[in-house]
Amino acid sequence: MDERDPQDTKPAGLNNRPVPMPEGAGHARIVATPDASRCLDTVQLNRLEQTFRQWVEGAARLDVRLSRKRILLIFLLIRYTGAKLNEVLALNPFQDIDADRQSVVFSKTDVTPDRAPREVQMPESLSQEIQAALEDTAFKQSLGSLFNVDPGHVRRKFYERADACGFPKELGGPDAIRKARAVELLQNNVPLPVVQRILGHSTPNLTAAFVSFSDEDIRQVTRFFMEKESHRKTSARNAFFGKINAIQKGDIQTKVELVTIGGYYLTTVITNDSLARLGLKAGTLVTAEVKAPWVVLQKGDEEPKCSAENKFHGTIDRIIKGKVTTEYVVKFSDETELCSVVTSDSSRRLDLHENDPVWAIFNSFSVVLHLD
């Protein structure tokens, strides 16, 4: 089913310059990845995913929404399994996707008759999302038994979503997304033989000859990475995952600017010694944490005038009242949660309730950076 899309608007926020693979120790990093800078990094891939989801939700007609949802699932399967477009289009999702094992089996059709089927793990959240979609009567009827979409149509939609993000459209194509997934896995120290098995490469790199992995080893390593990746995506409370956007080094301390998966900019100040010890540079993927007592809340929609560098607007999602302290959980537009703890006396003065608009404020010295 084809469709005509309204003119997309390009969201501002993310720095769109490709980021080179960070240096560091680890068995996966001995692998050369040619032209690694010519693919989207983790933050950009997640921004692209958000844009796909907004595109689906923006459809006014049911048939258009179902058509777009099919394209979204194709994107998600390529983005998280590193499969080829023709492999995904050849899937029978009702037979080849196992929700209990959180896996998908490729090459069970005539697309690659010379290769044995391979099982690839998926994140639990993706497995649940696909299962829910397949149980939806309207979507099931529109899908039939196969994805059954013209590959040219899929590529055009991928290019359009990349362009909507402000990325070069060639970096949003199915092959580029597959390559980006491979680089992402290697950057996160997933062993080369595991990455090769996931992508279905038939010719191993000579480096891989020194290591042997059983099918169970492959599943365990991949599951470990998927769980770590899901933890990043769900933005655990008071933890922001993203990449370093800019570094301003001073004589004693360094100012570091981070852009999160949701497109938020966050600033921290660390010592020059910490900068050198962590090996931080523009493009490095890090997690920024801030302790709950350091988060100050201000009620209302108008941005507060204060000296704190980090100010995020959201709504009160939950309130847990205690005798001495009260805990507020603030949720932002990208589903990130930030917890603030105040004294119960301060809580009464704030007069905050669930769903109230609020600003969460903290200064740069309250943020701690972590590498995986």
Side-chain angles (χ1 to χ4, degrees), residues 208-255:
F210 295 100
V211 186
S212 177
F213 287 82
S214 67
D215 289 343
E216 183 59 28
D217 290 335
I218 299 291
R219 279 194 290 271
Q220 289 182 3
V221 170
T222 309
R223 179 66 60 84
F224 174 80
F225 171 75
M226 294 293 181
E227 289 176 354
K228 182 176 72 172
E229 186 176 56
S230 295
H231 177 74
R232 288 173 172 174
K233 283 201 64 185
T234 54
S235 296
R237 243 175 19 172
N238 290 31
F240 298 85
F241 176 72
K243 67 178 179 181
I244 293 177
N245 183 61
I247 295 176
Q248 183 181 345
K249 189 174 181 180
D251 53 350
I252 298 175
Q253 294 178 310
T254 297
K255 178 181 176 182

Side-chain angles (χ1 to χ4, degrees), residues 40-286:
L40 301 180
D41 61 34
T42 299
V43 172
Q44 293 169 325
L45 284 169
N46 282 282
R47 179 69 191 108
L48 183 59
E49 179 180 332
Q50 288 181 350
T51 302
F52 266 99
R53 294 186 183 281
Q54 292 166 359
W55 175 62
V56 173
E57 294 301 319
R61 289 175 15 211
L62 177 61
D63 59 337
V64 174
R65 187 179 303 112
L66 294 175
S67 175
R68 292 184 180 184
K69 191 171 186 178
R70 184 184 310 187
I71 300 295
L72 169 64
L73 292 186
I74 293 170
F75 165 80
L76 292 174
L77 283 166
I78 295 175
R79 190 259 179 272
Y80 288 106
T81 69
K84 296 178 180 178
L85 175 60
N86 61 358
E87 290 179 317
V88 175
L89 295 183
L91 285 174
N92 181 333
F94 300 96
Q95 297 178 5
D96 300 335
I97 296 177
D98 190 327
D100 294 331
R101 291 174 63 87
Q102 298 172 26
S103 65
V104 54
V105 177
F106 295 105
S107 302
K108 293 182 71 173
T109 68
D110 296 332
V111 175
T112 51
D114 57 329
R115 294 188 184 180
R118 76 179 190 282
E119 183 180 19
V120 179
Q121 294 292 128
M122 295 185 294
E124 182 180 4
S125 57
L126 175 57
S127 178
Q128 293 174 348
E129 181 174 356
I130 292 176
Q131 187 66 20
L134 297 181
E135 291 174 355
D136 182 281
T137 303
F139 185 69
K140 184 176 181 180
Q141 291 175 347
S142 71
L143 190 65
S145 61
L146 301 173
F147 283 109
N148 193 28
V149 186
D150 175 59
H153 174 69
V154 175
R155 289 190 177 90
R156 286 194 298 273
K157 297 306 173 186
F158 274 46
Y159 293 149
E160 288 175 8
R161 294 303 94 215
D163 186 62
C165 280
F167 303 148
K169 70 175 187 178
E170 64 271 15
L171 298 187
D175 291 340
I177 299 300
R178 169 177 159 87
K179 173 184 174 181
R181 181 55 169 171
V183 173
E184 182 180 45
L185 291 168
L186 291 172
Q187 287 179 334
N188 283 277
N189 275 341
V190 177
L192 173 63
V194 176
V195 177
Q196 290 174 329
R197 289 281 293 275
I198 291 173
L199 271 62
H201 288 165
S202 59
T203 306
N205 186 289
L206 291 176
T207 310
F210 295 100
V211 186
S212 177
F213 287 82
S214 67
D215 289 343
E216 183 59 28
D217 290 335
I218 299 291
R219 279 194 290 271
Q220 289 182 3
V221 170
T222 309
R223 179 66 60 84
F224 174 80
F225 171 75
M226 294 293 181
E227 289 176 354
K228 182 176 72 172
E229 186 176 56
S230 295
H231 177 74
R232 288 173 172 174
K233 283 201 64 185
T234 54
S235 296
R237 243 175 19 172
N238 290 31
F240 298 85
F241 176 72
K243 67 178 179 181
I244 293 177
N245 183 61
I247 295 176
Q248 183 181 345
K249 189 174 181 180
D251 53 350
I252 298 175
Q253 294 178 310
T254 297
K255 178 181 176 182
V256 180
E257 182 184 69
L258 173 76
V259 58
T260 72
I261 285 177
Y264 292 105
Y265 285 85
L266 183 148
T267 301
T268 181
V269 173
I270 61 175
T271 64
N272 292 346
D273 179 66
S274 295
L275 178 72
R277 179 164 43 82
L278 295 174
L280 301 180
K281 60 184 67 177
T284 299
L285 299 176
V286 296

